[in-house]
């Protein structure tokens, strides 16, 4: 995807946006540019923004665009190397020791004294700690993928700072160190996305190794394109009303404003109910699709007629 002139670069950006759109992901210019730069410079992308704006979906869309497998690591407090990188296959290692014991007599036959016995042991191939006995977890799977992969490290802000530090070698050189084996380098560097909902501050060392991409809530024009792509059967006038209503909700003082994913769910709900236009009664019946706190629903209830009228004017 590397280009030698500005025209080619613009064409590459347009190709990325068209590729995303074909899989139902509508990317802004900023998103397409960041993905283009990340591939050209082989850099991970740290994606931040409110929940539900499409951070995880961006990794899915990139995997489809590049025709590579998506490997996902969901982060949580207490996540460690054994869940993220590898585990030893202890059962197979025990079987190996049984086989080794049976071979030990043959190996030591004729040995004179302890020194010679030890020398023969050293001559014997030691495969106890070998890649064959490794159970790969998401990070190692991404490094071993022969044709490369898209690696999604989701909600990195939920992991501990120790795990964040552990990732630095992977993000810098696309390799990891396994004490018993040595360094494992990627067969082909994966395309890496890290997402964060900003529940805690991400360390400077990790940020330095990544391109930063912030995805805000979309403006009305972009959100309409998203709904058109994801719920194409929804009539254009209702789509305009729906988006205008959601955009107004985001201006209210709510515990949780509706995200894009909830706008899509609401569009599908209205389509399911064969709605032709927004009406206060219909909005109240389906408000729980958009708002996830009862306090928010009760707060918005009195505003529904005015918000519905305003949304209708935009249609």
């Amino acid at each position: 995807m590397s280009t030698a002139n500005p025209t080619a670069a613009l064409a590459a950006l347009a190709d990325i946006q068209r590729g995303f759109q074909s899989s139902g992901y509508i990317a802004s210019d900023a998103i397409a540019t960041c993905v283009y730069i990340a591939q050209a410079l082989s850099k991970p992308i740290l994606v931040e923004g409110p929940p539900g704006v499409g951070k995880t979906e961006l990794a899915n869309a990139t995997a489809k665009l590049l025709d590579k497998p998506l490997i996902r690591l969901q982060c949580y407090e207490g996540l460690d190397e054994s869940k993220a990188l590898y585990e030893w296959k202890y059962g197979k290692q025990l079987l190996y020791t049984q086989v080794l014991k049976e071979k030990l007599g043959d190996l030591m036959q004729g040995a004179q004294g302890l020194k010679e016995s030890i020398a023969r042991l050293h001559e014997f191939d030691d495969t106890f700690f070998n890649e064959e006995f490794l159970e790969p977890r998401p990070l190692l799977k991404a490094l071993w993928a022969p044709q490369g992969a898209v690696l999604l490290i989701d909600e990195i802000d939920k992991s501990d700072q120790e795990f964040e530090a552990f990732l630095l070698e992977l993000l810098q050189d696309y390799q990891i160190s396994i004490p018993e084996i040595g360094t494992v380098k990627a067969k082909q560097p994966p395309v890496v996305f890290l997402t964060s909902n900003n529940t805690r501050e991400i360390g400077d060392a990790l940020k330095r190794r990544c391109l930063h991409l912030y995805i805000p809530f979309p403006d009305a024009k972009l959100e309409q394109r998203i709904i058109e792509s994801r719920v194409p059967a929804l009539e254009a006038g209702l789509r305009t009303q729906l988006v205008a209503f959601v955009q107004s909700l985001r201006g209210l003082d709510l515990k949780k404003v509706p995200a894009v994913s909830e706008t899509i769910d609401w569009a599908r709900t209205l389509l399911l109910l064969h709605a032709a236009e927004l009406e206060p009664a219909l909005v109240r019946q389906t408000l729980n699709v958009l708002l996830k706190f009862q306090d928010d629903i009760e707060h918005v209830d009195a505003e529904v007629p005015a918000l519905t009228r305003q949304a209708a004017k935009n249609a």
Side-chain angles (χ1 to χ4, degrees), residues 106-125:
D106 297 337
L107 179 69
M108 296 299 171
Q109 193 170 22
Q112 300 295 322
L114 180 61
K115 190 174 181 180
E116 187 176 349
S117 297
I118 292 175
R120 289 195 181 187
L121 273 176
H122 282 301
E123 291 173 3
F124 195 80
D125 287 340

Side-chain angles (χ1 to χ4, degrees), residues 86-90 93 128-130 133-134 178 180-181:
Y86 71 93
E87 277 188 300
W88 289 107
K89 297 176 180 175
Y90 296 117
Q93 283 180 317
F128 192 79
F129 290 113
N130 185 285
F133 291 123
L134 281 179
I178 297 177
E180 299 89 346
I181 293 179

